[in-house]
Amino acid sequence: MNGHYRNILCVLSDTHHQDNVVKQAVHIAKSHQASLTLMLALESLPPNASIVMASFTALDSQQSMEAQANDWLVKHADKWSQKYPVKTHLCIGNPLIDIVRYVQKDGCDLVIKKAEDSFLDRLFGSLDMRLLRKCPCPVWVLDPNHEGKYKNVVAAVDLNYHYPEHEIALRKKLNLEILYHASKIALLEFSQLHIVHIFDSVPENIRRDGFISVDDNHMETDLAKIHAEREQALEVLLGELEAKLAPDVMDYLKPNVHIVHGYPRREIAATTQSLATDVIVMGTLARLGVPGYIMGGTAEETIQQLNCAVVGLKPEGFVSPITLEDES
């Protein structure tokens, strides 16, 4: 079965202990029958290098850095290519800009990268977060300690459609893309697919902050109505997914649905952890349709709490603030 991705870029941020990262990237590329490029993206020497040493020495150092990095990449690519054909690309400059511009030029449909910081600290490195914000294609941030296949795949969807009409349409399309990406991963990995939606009620938020009191009976009635509303929205979404997939695929997937009442900024990560999730597919924009308003609120807080791999998707029409213009 062919996968969803066709042209994958795996980013290496340094030359230390990259075998497991490349192993995971090769596994994903092989599963999707996709081309794979390994990019070594390094920071250039600081601008004040010529101040602390003679300019010709700084130039020699930059050239030496490039030569050594290229030698390392070619040598290791020969070894990695024995498992799966890979192309290589070396960038020394501004990694974020170099990565995004390569994606735009080469038409990459997935970027894979190891999480910079320890998952034990539950923090993503700054380059990871900036790629999730600004890269025009999906970004798959790997758990460097993961081994083997993905057993549990989570699709985190937002079924709250109480927004302006133009934004509702974008949210629905993004939810469908999240489900589609997660379904493809689950199929190729022979994994269990979980669909997670966390809902909270505005009155409960207000009550939690202690501003007003709310009748518990009314609250329970409201929560029941919201739960039913979200179940109905998901039923429609699953019908659209079934139409997009090959016949009988949904019968094979048999997704487990988790519609959970709670505070989304806590419960998405908590539910994911309780499901022993290997990878979560989620949207990485806050308010859709609001230019420049990205990676805030629930998305960013959730990502910082996760201890699994993340595939971050952008909504239809997203345009990266990084362009190919004014290249030096």
Side-chain angles (χ1 to χ4, degrees), residues 157 159 161 172 175-176 179 233-241:
V157 293
L159 302 170
Y161 297 143
K172 289 181 176 180
N175 280 334
L176 183 57
L179 285 183
L234 182 56
E235 185 177 345
V236 172
L237 189 60
L238 288 174
E240 294 174 349
L241 176 65

Side-chain angles (χ1 to χ4, degrees), residues 41-274:
L42 304 176
E43 294 272 0
S44 60
L45 290 174
N48 65 344
S50 60
I51 298 176
V52 297
M53 52 187 169
S55 59
F56 71 89
T57 306
L59 180 61
D60 288 345
S61 299
Q62 182 77 14
Q63 291 175 338
S64 174
M65 177 182 177
E66 292 178 8
Q68 291 184 45
N70 189 66
D71 289 345
W72 179 91
L73 186 58
V74 170
K75 176 183 176 181
H76 283 76
D78 287 342
K79 177 182 68 174
W80 293 325
S81 293
Q82 295 174 12
K83 299 290 185 180
Y84 194 77
V86 299
K87 298 180 290 184
T88 60
H89 188 76
L90 172 65
C91 284
I92 300 179
N94 183 318
L96 174 66
I97 294 175
D98 291 339
I99 293 166
V100 172
R101 285 179 172 167
Y102 187 90
V103 166
Q104 293 168 334
K105 280 183 176 180
D106 203 52
C108 302
D109 53 15
L110 179 68
V111 168
I112 297 176
K113 187 184 177 301
K114 178 183 75 172
E116 288 186 354
D117 292 307
S118 171
F119 271 84
L120 295 175
D121 295 333
R122 296 187 180 182
L123 291 172
F124 276 177
S126 59
L127 178 57
D128 303 331
M129 296 299 285
R130 285 181 288 163
L131 282 171
L132 288 166
R133 293 184 187 110
K134 299 180 179 181
C135 184
C137 72
V139 177
W140 191 324
V141 182
L142 297 172
D143 176 353
N145 300 314
H146 178 80
E147 295 283 352
K149 292 186 176 182
Y150 293 84
K151 297 178 181 178
N152 290 291
V153 179
V154 165
V157 293
D158 183 0
L159 302 170
N160 178 9
Y161 297 143
H162 295 278
Y163 290 95
E165 194 63 35
H166 74 280
E167 191 171 338
I168 293 173
L170 285 173
R171 285 178 177 272
K172 289 181 176 180
K173 288 180 180 179
L174 180 56
N175 280 334
L176 183 57
E177 280 302 299
I178 289 169
L179 285 183
Y180 186 69
H181 280 250
S183 297
K184 280 291 188 177
I185 294 170
L187 287 168
L188 291 168
E189 297 287 330
F190 302 98
S191 310
Q192 176 61 58
L193 174 62
H194 300 270
I195 302 172
V196 172
H197 169 66
I198 311 297
F199 72 94
D200 199 3
S201 64
V202 174
E204 188 178 27
N205 289 338
I206 296 173
R207 183 174 64 171
R208 183 168 53 236
D209 293 332
F211 294 119
I212 63 172
S213 60
V214 179
D215 182 87
D216 287 339
N217 290 331
H218 289 167
M219 174 63 69
E220 290 302 319
T221 300
D222 289 343
L223 291 176
K225 288 180 180 178
I226 295 173
H227 193 281
E229 172 192 86
R230 305 302 161 81
E231 280 187 326
Q232 184 177 9
L234 182 56
E235 185 177 345
V236 172
L237 189 60
L238 288 174
E240 294 174 349
L241 176 65
E242 186 170 13
K244 191 170 183 177
L245 294 171
D248 302 323
V249 167
M250 288 296 290
D251 290 336
Y252 174 80
L253 278 174
K254 292 184 174 62
N256 289 333
V257 174
H258 310 267
I259 299 180
V260 180
H261 169 229
Y263 190 43
R265 298 188 186 195
R266 287 195 306 264
E267 292 301 327
I268 294 175
T271 303
T272 298
Q273 187 171 359
S274 72

